[in-house]
Amino acid sequence: MDLLEYQGKQFFATYDLPVSDGEAATSVDGAVAAAERLGTPVMIKAQVHTGGRGKAGGVKFAADIDAVRAHADDILGLNIKGHIVKHLWIEKASDIAEEYYASFTLDRSAKTHLGMLSASGGIEIETVAEQNPDAIAKIWVNPIDGLTENQCRQWVLAAKLNPTVTEQVVELLLKLYRAYTEGDASLVEINPLIVTPAGKIHVLDAKVTLDDNAGFRQNLAPYDATQPRDEREAAAHEKGLEYVGLEGSVGVIANGAGLAMSTVDVVNQVGGRSANFLDIGGGADADVMAGALEVINNDPEVRSIFINIFGGITRGDEVANGIIEAMNRVDIKAPIVIRLDGTNAVVGWALLEPHLSDRLQSEPTMLEAAQLAVELAGSTPT
C-alpha cells in the first residue's frame, strides 16, 4: 500500500520525525484556506502515486494567497504520468542549505533490512547508484538484533554528511527505523532530507509503502480511499478480492497468488493476454466465486474466462458447487473454461459435468485450458 506524500509525512510525524506543518486539500478554496491558516509562503504540491511531480508542474512555490489560488487551480486535475491530481498538500516553505537521502527497505536476497544514506539528496537514488555508487552508504540490519546507536553513527560517518548534523541524523535514522519496523512498512524513504540554514535537519519529502497484510494490527483505513484503483479494481476491493487489472481479453480466476501468476504467464505463453490477475484464495464458496465472476463479467474487454483451481485445503467439490451456484446468480457474457485438480477433483468434475456446454467447458491440464481460453477469446464476437 503506497501512501501519498502527505500521508507519509503524517505517518512519520507519529514517530516524532521532523516534518513541516501542512494541510491536505481537494479544492482551490480548500488550498487557499489551508494557506491562510499556515501563513505564506507555502509550497503547493500535487499528491499522486508517482514521481516526477516537479518536472510535470505539480510542485509550485507560492509567495502569497493569489499565487496559492493560481497554482492550486493549475495543479488540480493535472495529468502526471497517467495519474490525475485530486489531492494537494499545502506546506510551509522551507529554506534549504543541504540535501541528503535516507531510506530503509527489505533486502530479500540477504533476508535483512537495508538502510541507504547519501549526501546526494534531491536526486533519484537509481541515478545516484548508476552514476556514483560510492555516494551511497549502506547498512544491513538483522531484524532480530535491530539498529543500534553505535551502528547508526558509523553509518552516518561513512555517508560523509556534514559533521555538524551527525547527532541529529543519528537520532532521525533511529526514529525512521522504528517507523519502518513498528509501522509494518516495506519502504520508508526521505528524499530530500534537508539541512536548513539554521543547521536543523528536516523531512522535506516522504515515500512510504506499508504492508497491507498487517491490517490486523495497523489502522490502514485512512489510506485505503486514496489507493489508485480503476473501476474493476475498486469493485473487486469492495468484495474482498485480490485483483489487479491488466489489458488483455482472457479473464483469470485462480486460488492462490502463485497459481494466479502462473496462470497469467501460461495465457501469455500460448499467445493470449490476460485481462486481470484474480486470486480468490482458499474456500472458493459460491459467494466468493460469484463475486469473482461478477467483477470479470463487468469488464467489457473480457472475451473468455479461465478458472484455474488446484485443490489443496480447498476441496474440488466445494469449488464445483461454487461455480454452479455462481453461474445461476451471474449472467455470464463470456464462455468459461475450467481446469480443476487436487483434493476431491473427481467429485468436482462429476458435479460440473451436467452443466458443461459451449458456454462452460473443461480441460484436464492448465496448458490445454489456457489454449482453449485463448482460442475462445479470439473467436468470441466483440
Side-chain angles (χ1 to χ4, degrees), residues 146-200:
L147 180 63
T148 68
E149 183 175 334
N150 184 57
Q151 288 175 314
C152 202
R153 185 170 289 104
Q154 294 302 313
W155 180 29
V156 173
L157 293 174
K160 299 179 182 179
L161 308 184
N162 189 326
T164 63
V165 296
T166 295
E167 295 307 312
Q168 289 186 67
V169 176
V170 168
E171 182 181 357
L172 177 137
L173 290 173
L174 290 169
K175 291 177 180 178
L176 185 63
Y177 181 77
R178 178 169 165 256
Y180 169 69
T181 53
E182 293 184 10
D184 284 303
S186 56
L187 170 69
V188 290
E189 179 183 275
I190 305 172
N191 188 29
L193 170 65
I194 68 167
V195 181
T196 69
K200 300 293 184 182

Side-chain angles (χ1 to χ4, degrees), residues 49 226 318 322 346 372:
H49 292 91
T226 57
E318 292 179 345
V346 173
L372 179 56

